[in-house]
Amino acid sequence: MNALKLHKKLEENNALLIFGILLVSSLGGLVQVLPSVYQESLRTPEANTRPYSALELAGRDIYISEGCSTCHSQQIRSLVAEVERYGPYSRAGEFVYDRPFLWGSKRTGPDLHRVGGKYSDDWHRIHLVDPRSVVPTSIMPGYPWLAEKDLRSDDIQAKLRGLRSLGHPYSDEEIENAPAQLEGRKQIDALIAYLQMLGTGFVEPESGAGDSSE
Amino acid sequence: MSSEMTTQPQYYHDEIVKRLVQFSVAWAVLAMAAGVFVAAELLWPTLDMGQPWLSFGRLRPLHTNGIIFGFGVSALMATAFYSVQRTSHVPLFAPKLAWFLCYAWQLLVLSGGLSLLAGMNTTKEYAELEWPFDIAIALLWVSFGIVFFGTISRRKIRPIYISNWFYGALIIVIAMLHIVNNLELPVTWTKSYSLYAGAQDAIVQWWYGHNAVGFLLTGGFLGMLYYFLPKHAGRPIWSYKLSVVAFWAFTYSYIWAGPHHLHYNAIPEWVQSLGMVMSLVLLAPSWATLINGVMTVSSAWEKLKTDPALKFIVLSLAFYGLATFEGPMMAIRSVNVVSHFTDWTIGHVHSGALGWNAMITYGTFYYLMPRLVGTELYSKRLANVHFWLALAGTMLYIIAMWAAGVSQGLLWLSLDETGELAFGFRDIMSSMAPYYGLRLLAGLIFLGGTLLMAYNFYMTTRSRKTVKVEPPVVDPAFGVV
C-alpha cells in the first residue's frame, strides 16, 4: 500500500483526519515543551530568590494590570552589551515565583529586570506620575491615578492562599498579616515596592577575579 | 437528484456568512483605529489625557486581540462556513448553533476588549483575557468544531477538500494550545495565576504564541487561500499532491518553532537550538504552498487587470512569501540578537498581518460580498483605490519599522573602542520619532483603505437580502455511497 493510497483513506474519513492532525501537531509539544515543564532546574530558586511580600505582590499585579510588560522587558540576555547596560544576565531560578512570567517581547522602554535599587523611591514616585518631569525625552505615559487610588486589601489573602497552593512558601502568619500591610496605602506604593525588589533575587558570588560579569 | 430524497429544497446558510463578514469588517475598522491611536501615543505620550483606559499598556492588547479574535476569527468562521458547505454539497450542520456562535463570539470579543480596558490582563501575549473569558472561548471554539466537522460528516462528496484540512487544523490545534496555555488558578473573579511559573511559563506561552500565529494567522488563512484562490482564478489548484505534502509538513513542523522567541533568555539551550532549526525547516512547507499558489494563478494573470479581488489575493501571496522567509531568518540566533525586543519584530508581524492576513481577507470579501447579496460590487474603482492604499500602507509600515528595529538593535549592542556602551538608551529611544511618525502615517493610510471597503460593502448590501443558493448536483463518481 503506497503512501498516497494511505492518504486517500485519511482524506475520506473525518474522524481519521481529526486524529491525524491531533497526533502530528502534538508531537512537538510532547518532545520539546513537556520535558521543560518537568525540568527541576527551571523551578529551583537562586540562593537569594524569595516569594514576593504581600505589598510587592500587589504591586506586581498592578504592573500586570497596566500592561507595563508591553514596553518593558524583564530579561537580560547573556550578551556583553546587555550585561554592561543592565547588569548580570537573568537566571531561570530568579523567576520561580513569577506567575505569569513578565519577560516581555518588546523594549520600547529599557529592561527592568535589575531596576531594583537603581533609583530612589521618590524618583519612582515622580517619574510614574509624570515621566517627563525627570526624563524630558521620555515617551512613557504618566500614571497619575496610581498615586490617587487606594490599594485594595480585600483580595490579597485569596491571592496568597492561591499561590501557596501552587507551592509558594507563605506562612499562616504572613497571610494573616497581609491586609494590614496594604491598608491605607496607595497603588503607587505597592508598585514602587515591587520595582525596588526586581532583580535582587540574584547576587553575584564574590570571585575576587574581578571579571565575573560573564 | 437530491430532490428525490428531500421534498423541500435545501439552501446553503449564507446569512450567517454575510453577518460574520460584516462583523469582521467592523472589527477591522475598530481594532485598526486602536492601533493607529497607540501608534500616535508613542509620538505624543500625553494623548491618553490621564485616563487609565486610554493608556498604551491597556490599549495595545485591545488592538492585537481585536485584530486576531475580532477581525481574524470572524473572517475565518465566515469563510470556513461558506467553503465547507460548498465543498461538502450540504447546508451547515446545526445552523442554530452556528447563529449562536456568530453572535456569542462578537459579544465575547466586545466584553473581552472592555475587560482589557478595565485592566484585566494576564499579559500572556494573544492570551491576555482573564479566566472567565478563557472558558467562554473554549466553549465557543468547541461549537465552531461541532458545526464545521458536523457539516463535513454529512457531506455528499467523498474526498474532504484541502481547504477543510487547514480549517480543521485551525480548530483542533488552537483548541489544544488555548487550553494548555491558559491553565491557571482563579483567585478572584477578575484575577488568576498561571499554573506555570517563570521560565516554564515562558516556554509554554511561546509554544502557544508562536502557533497562534501558525495555526490561526497562517494555517487558518491558508484554508481561505486553498478555496478562494482557485475559485477566483477559475482553475484547480496547481498540484494537489504538493498541497498534501505541504499540509502535513506544516502541521508537524510549525509547533516546534516557538522557542525562537526566547533566544539567549533563561531557558535551556537545547530548546532554543531546536526551536531555531525547526524554524528554518518551516521554510520548506511555507514556500511549497507559495509555489502552489503562484502556479495556480500563473495562467490567469490577465484577470488581474479587471478583478480587484484577485489583485488582493495575489499580493497577499507575495507578502506571505516575504513574511515566511523573514520569520525563519529572524529565528537564527545571530540575527535574533539584533532583532529581538526591537521594532523589527513589530514590522515582521505587520508584514504578515497587513500584507498577508488583511489582504487575503479583503480579496476574499470583495469576492464574497457581491455573490452573497446577488448584485455587482457598488464600486470597482473604490476597490482599486483601496488596493493601492493597502499596498502603500503596508510597504511604508514595514520599511519604517525595519529601519527603526535594525538601528535600535545595532545601537543597543554597539560598544566603543574601550569596550564601553557607545549609546545611552534614552538617546536611541528619542531618535525613533521619525520612524514612529512614518508608521503612524502608514497605519492611517491602511485604515483609510479599510474604511473605503466598509463604505463599499455598505452601499453594496443596502436594502438587499442574501441570495439563496441550492447545493448543486453531485457527480456520482465522487459522491458518498
Side-chain angles (χ1 to χ4, degrees):
Chain A
M1 194 181 207
N2 65 31
L4 269 178
K5 257 194 178 160
L6 182 80
H7 197 268
K8 199 164 178 296
K9 271 214 159 120
L10 208 60
E11 67 180 77
E12 290 184 1
N13 188 320
N14 202 3
L16 265 183
L17 187 61
I18 294 175
F19 177 74
I21 291 172
L22 199 58
L23 181 76
V24 168
S25 67
S26 56
L27 288 174
L30 290 175
V31 175
Q32 187 187 36
V33 176
L34 203 62
S36 315
V37 173
Y38 286 98
Q39 189 172 332
E40 218 30 60
S41 68
L42 292 182
R43 35 177 168 178
T44 310
E46 289 285 325
N48 283 61
T49 305
R50 59 168 176 81
Y52 296 102
S53 74
L55 189 64
E56 289 158 359
L57 185 71
R60 188 172 197 271
D61 289 342
I62 290 166
Y63 186 99
I64 288 170
S65 163
E66 295 297 347
C68 302
S69 55
T70 55
C71 291
H72 293 285
S73 56
Q74 287 188 19
Q75 181 68 210
I76 301 165
R77 295 179 292 171
S78 47
L79 304 168
V80 178
E82 298 244 320
V83 171
E84 274 204 42
R85 194 180 298 280
Y86 300 115
Y89 66 85
S90 304
R91 268 72 170 176
E94 297 180 76
F95 301 101
V96 296
Y97 301 117
D98 281 18
R99 295 174 196 268
F101 78 114
L102 293 173
W103 295 359
S105 61
K106 178 71 172 62
R107 272 183 200 152
T108 304
D111 187 276
L112 296 182
H113 186 209
R114 306 246 179 253
V115 79
K118 272 196 184 165
Y119 303 91
S120 69
D121 285 4
D122 288 339
W123 186 91
H124 278 302
R125 199 173 299 274
I126 297 166
H127 179 252
L128 282 168
V129 171
D130 180 11
R132 273 153 299 284
S133 65
V134 278
V135 184
T137 57
S138 171
I139 55 169
M140 180 171 131
Y143 295 86
W145 59 90
L146 294 182
E148 292 155 16
K149 285 190 185 164
D150 291 326
L151 195 54
R152 275 182 73 169
S153 58
D154 56 338
D155 56 0
I156 190 68
Q157 288 187 323
K159 286 178 175 180
L160 292 176
R161 264 189 230 110
L163 288 175
R164 182 160 73 175
S165 73
L166 295 173
H168 296 210
Y170 289 113
S171 66
D172 289 337
E173 204 187 338
E174 276 174 291
I175 295 176
E176 186 65 34
N177 297 335
Q181 266 196 59
L182 272 50
E183 266 155 34
R185 296 197 187 240
K186 300 291 181 192
Q187 293 189 349
I188 202 167
D189 299 317
L191 183 55
I192 292 171
Y194 169 63
L195 291 173
Q196 292 293 27
M197 77 85 67
L198 269 178
T200 57
F202 173 78
V203 176
E204 260 178 306
E206 302 281 339
S207 64
D211 186 26
S212 57
S213 63
E214 268 306 298
Chain B
M1 248 189 167
S2 55
S3 55
E4 286 173 18
M5 291 183 273
T6 48
T7 43
Q8 287 210 325
Q10 284 194 309
Y11 297 111
Y12 289 142
H13 292 287
D14 286 344
E15 281 281 348
I16 303 176
V17 177
K18 190 173 103 180
R19 190 55 43 83
L20 281 165
V21 169
Q22 289 166 334
F23 278 128
S24 175
V25 173
W27 284 121
V29 170
L30 280 173
M32 284 176 197
V36 167
F37 188 78
V38 292
E41 284 187 329
L42 289 178
L43 283 166
W44 302 289
T46 53
L47 263 187
D48 63 14
M49 295 170 287
Q51 297 299 314
W53 62 278
L54 281 178
S55 184
F56 184 95
R58 297 193 189 191
L59 268 179
R60 191 263 188 182
L62 178 85
H63 164 61
T64 53
N65 282 277
I67 290 292
I68 297 172
F69 298 106
F71 170 53
V73 171
S74 299
L76 289 172
M77 284 178 180
T79 55
F81 288 166
Y82 182 87
S83 60
V84 75
Q85 297 183 89
R86 280 153 179 85
T87 52
S88 303
H89 286 256
V90 284
L92 275 189
F93 175 73
K96 280 187 182 146
L97 185 63
W99 270 115
F100 170 76
L101 173 66
C102 165
Y103 285 105
W105 186 261
Q106 314 308 325
L107 195 66
L108 175 91
V109 178
L110 182 69
S111 55
L114 293 175
S115 80
L116 290 168
L117 294 187
M120 277 170 76
N121 178 0
T122 68
T123 77
K124 292 178 79 159
E125 277 181 83
Y126 324 129
E128 283 94 345
L129 298 180
E130 264 296 353
W131 66 272
F133 297 102
D134 291 338
I135 294 172
I137 290 173
L139 293 176
L140 291 178
W141 207 254
V142 169
S143 33
F144 185 15
I146 290 172
V147 174
F148 182 79
F149 289 115
T151 308
I152 290 184
S153 67
R154 294 206 310 187
R155 73 193 184 282
K156 294 206 177 118
I157 275 270
R158 207 181 305 125
I160 302 170
Y161 182 63
I162 179 80
S163 63
N164 293 323
W165 309 1
F166 278 98
Y167 284 121
L170 158 79
I171 293 169
I172 293 164
V173 182
I174 292 294
M176 170 177 84
L177 296 167
H178 172 76
I179 291 169
V180 174
N181 185 47
N182 284 304
L183 290 177
E184 54 211 352
L185 179 77
V187 287
T188 68
W189 282 104
T190 57
K191 176 74 189 168
S192 65
Y193 289 117
S194 173
L195 285 198
Y196 319 98
Q200 295 172 335
D201 196 33
I203 293 170
V204 174
Q205 155 60 24
W206 284 112
W207 170 75
Y208 165 88
H210 182 73
N211 291 296
V213 175
F215 286 86
L216 206 158
L217 296 176
T218 310
F221 286 82
L222 284 177
M224 210 186 270
L225 181 83
Y226 273 113
Y227 182 80
F228 289 97
L229 179 71
K231 276 283 168 193
H232 260 309
R235 39 187 50 78
I237 199 80
W238 179 62
S239 164
Y240 200 75
K241 259 186 210 170
L242 185 61
S243 67
V244 169
V245 176
F247 173 79
W248 290 109
F250 169 88
T251 307
Y252 170 75
S253 51
Y254 219 112
I255 211 91
W256 297 78
H260 68 224
H261 292 258
L262 298 166
H263 279 328
Y264 292 98
N265 285 17
I267 63 163
E269 197 145 328
W270 72 269
V271 178
Q272 298 178 30
S273 304
L274 190 57
M276 168 176 131
V277 171
M278 291 308 284
S279 304
L280 289 167
V281 168
L282 199 49
L283 192 56
S286 301
W287 277 37
T289 299
L290 175 68
I291 291 166
N292 219 346
V294 171
M295 294 308 284
T296 303
V297 280
S298 72
S299 42
W301 292 124
E302 78 286 346
K303 271 195 161 188
L304 280 180
K305 286 184 205 148
T306 51
D307 186 356
L310 190 59
K311 269 195 237 182
F312 269 108
I313 295 200
V314 170
L315 187 68
S316 81
L317 262 181
F319 279 106
Y320 168 81
L322 188 79
T324 53
F325 175 76
E326 191 185 31
M329 292 308 112
M330 292 169 78
I332 297 172
R333 291 186 89 197
S334 51
V335 179
N336 193 272
V337 163
V338 177
S339 76
H340 197 48
F341 292 134
T342 72
D343 281 304
W344 187 353
T345 309
I346 315 297
H348 171 63
V349 169
H350 283 82
S351 83
L354 301 177
W356 156 241
N357 298 125
M359 299 254 197
I360 190 170
T361 306
Y362 292 170
T364 302
F365 284 180
Y366 277 121
Y367 170 92
L368 271 182
M369 263 314 197
R371 281 169 176 77
L372 288 173
V373 294
T375 178
E376 291 279 305
L377 187 68
Y378 168 70
S379 166
K380 226 176 203 182
R381 225 170 108 201
L382 278 184
N384 273 316
V385 174
H386 178 199
F387 173 80
W388 289 108
L389 288 176
L391 176 58
T394 307
M395 286 308 292
L396 187 59
Y397 198 111
I398 297 172
I399 292 167
M401 287 299 94
W402 193 78
V406 173
S407 49
Q408 270 164 17
L410 293 175
L411 293 174
W412 286 346
L413 292 170
S414 69
L415 304 172
D416 63 19
E417 57 276 17
T418 62
E420 298 283 312
L421 292 170
F423 304 96
F425 188 91
R426 288 172 191 177
D427 296 333
I428 301 171
M429 185 198 66
S430 51
S431 68
M432 290 300 128
Y435 304 121
Y436 288 175
L438 284 179
R439 184 253 302 270
L440 175 61
L441 182 65
L444 277 170
I445 293 171
F446 200 91
L447 174 64
T450 306
L451 283 168
L452 279 188
M453 180 183 74
Y455 172 72
N456 211 342
F457 286 166
Y458 172 72
M459 296 304 283
T460 306
T461 51
R462 223 167 41 149
S463 75
R464 278 190 178 263
K465 292 226 160 168
T466 305
V467 175
K468 286 189 165 183
V469 182
E470 242 182 296
V473 176
V474 176
D475 182 339
F478 298 101
V480 176
V481 189

